Amino acid sequence: KVGSIQNIFVVYCDGVAQLGSVPNATFSTKLWAEDDKRSVPLCSGLDANAQHDIVIFKSTEAKWGQIKPTPNHVSFHEIVGPGIRVLPLLVRTQRRIEFLGDSITAGYCNLC
């Protein structure tokens, strides 16, 4: 489910970027209708009996240039595939660091 503006994502499967038709990205929500639900293939050819690391990286930031922010949220309803299971959350530490800044601080267009 998406908001009303484009979001761009890069998916990493075992540390390898899965680049799609979007330049330097895996997929985009540009052509999706608001409140549309889509299935997006993330990784292929993974051994279902082995452990894999899958990272979904949102490379767009919120649009706050107006009095009323434009919604650009994305909701993940489920992640499915052979042998997929979600690992338990790690215990959160009491110490946290907060970074305040602009799009550079947020890592916008960071192509790792």
Side-chain angles (χ1 to χ4, degrees):
K1 180 175 157 181
V2 299
S4 59
I5 64 172
Q6 170 181 257
N7 284 292
I8 297 173
F9 293 87
V10 181
V11 176
Y12 293 88
C13 301
D14 294 330
V16 178
Q18 307 298 301
L19 301 180
S21 60
V22 181
N24 299 315
T26 307
F27 68 95
S28 166
T29 63
K30 182 177 183 176
L31 301 176
W32 299 5
E34 190 170 349
D35 292 328
D36 197 4
K37 289 184 181 178
R38 297 280 181 117
S39 293
V40 178
L42 301 178
C43 305
S44 62
L46 298 179
D47 179 359
N49 297 315
Q51 181 173 324
H52 301 281
D53 291 317
I54 300 172
V55 175
I56 303 170
F57 177 81
K58 182 176 180 260
S59 65
T60 46
E61 58 185 16
K63 301 291 184 187
W64 296 99
Q66 303 169 345
I67 293 174
K68 183 178 179 188
T70 304
N72 72 335
H73 63 274
V74 174
S75 299
F76 292 94
H77 292 275
E78 65 181 334
I79 298 177
V80 297
I84 292 272
R85 65 185 173 92
V86 177
L87 299 176
L89 293 175
L90 300 174
V91 177
R92 294 181 76 173
T93 62
Q94 294 300 316
R95 292 183 177 188
R96 298 186 185 152
I97 298 174
E98 181 176 2
F99 295 93
L100 303 175
D102 56 11
S103 59
I104 294 170
T105 308
Y108 179 68
C109 285
N110 183 356
L111 301 178
C112 299

